[in-house]
């Protein structure tokens, strides 16, 4: 069975570690990718790690994951709060989906409190910094192990 996991990142996350460190910390997205790859290796997962500022590109990767991947860890960034299209795409994916937010969105502006993606996500992690990605991968590995029986 496939142990391939897509780690998808939405708009502006390419600036991680370069702006607003009081909200998002000092780690860059390249640091997050490096840490995800190291942990994936430990967990026996293969990962494809992507970031885009374009909604359609994220949707195309979700479509690609339909045939290729066993699970998705996704930080949809601002599209979390706006995108029915990303929710619709995730609804066509059959494996587990973990939604990750670096900041605690519930402690922030009211418009960040609603997530379209949470309607589909099997789990949601918020406010644990970039460690959330690693915990998301651990959870997916556990779910895939349980499926294998
Ligand atoms: O906390 C998160 O991970 C968010 O998904 C990040 C999004 C925000 O719109 C969500 O409400 C919560 C924003 C990503 C922007 O990332 C930046 C990183 C560094 C500097 C500027 C933006």
């Amino acid at each position: 069975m496939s142990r391939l996991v897509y780690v998808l990142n939405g708009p502006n996350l390419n600036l991680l570690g370069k702006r607003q460190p009081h909200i998002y910390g000092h780690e860059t997205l390249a640091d997050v990718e490096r840490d995800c790859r190291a942990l994936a290796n430990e967990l026996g997962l293969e990962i494809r790690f992507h970031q885009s500022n374009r909604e359609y590109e994220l949707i195309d990767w979700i479509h690609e994951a339909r045939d290729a991947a066993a699970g998705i860890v996704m930080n949809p960034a601002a599209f979390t709060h706006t995108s029915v299209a990303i929710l619709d795409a995730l609804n066509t994916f059959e494996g587990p989906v973990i939604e990750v937010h670096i900041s605690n969105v519930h402690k922030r502006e009211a418009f960040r409190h609603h997530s379209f993606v949470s309607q589909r996500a099997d789990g949601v992690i918020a406010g644990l910094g970039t460690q959330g990605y690693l915990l998301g991968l651990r959870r997916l590995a556990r779910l895939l192990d349980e499926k294998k029986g």
Side-chain angles (χ1 to χ4, degrees), residues 11-13 15-17 19-20 24 75 77-78 80-81 100-103 105 108 112:
N12 299 308
L13 284 165
L15 297 179
L16 201 62
R19 299 267 186 288
Q20 300 182 280
Y24 299 114
N75 184 347
T80 307
H81 318 299
V100 172
H101 298 288
I102 297 165
S103 64
V105 282
R108 301 181 65 191
R112 296 186 203 275

Side-chain angles (χ1 to χ4, degrees), residues 4-127:
L4 177 63
V5 170
Y6 273 47
V7 182
L8 300 178
N9 293 280
N12 299 308
L13 284 165
N14 52 313
L15 297 179
L16 201 62
K18 298 173 183 166
R19 299 267 186 288
Q20 300 182 280
H22 55 292
I23 304 177
Y24 299 114
H26 289 280
E27 270 208 312
T28 65
L29 198 63
D31 295 331
V32 175
E33 177 172 2
R34 181 204 56 215
D35 292 350
C36 283
R37 290 197 181 282
L39 179 65
N41 198 37
E42 246 176 66
L43 297 170
L45 300 174
E46 188 192 334
I47 59 172
R48 293 208 182 131
F49 193 100
H50 296 296
Q51 185 274 333
S52 182
N53 296 326
R54 301 174 186 88
E55 193 174 19
Y56 77 85
E57 217 162 6
L58 294 159
I59 291 167
D60 285 349
W61 285 321
I62 295 167
H63 291 177
E64 201 181 279
R66 281 163 40 79
D67 291 324
I72 296 176
V73 170
M74 185 164 193
N75 184 347
F79 291 146
T80 307
H81 318 299
T82 62
S83 182
V84 174
I86 287 178
L87 170 63
D88 285 347
L90 288 171
N91 275 332
T92 72
F93 179 75
E94 286 184 6
V97 174
I98 307 294
E99 176 183 349
V100 172
H101 298 288
I102 297 165
S103 64
N104 181 358
V105 282
H106 300 289
K107 216 173 149 182
R108 301 181 65 191
E109 304 95 322
F111 65 82
R112 296 186 203 275
H113 298 177
H114 177 261
S115 165
F116 285 101
V117 170
S118 293
Q119 296 228 318
R120 164 62 182 88
D122 297 287
V124 183
I125 297 169

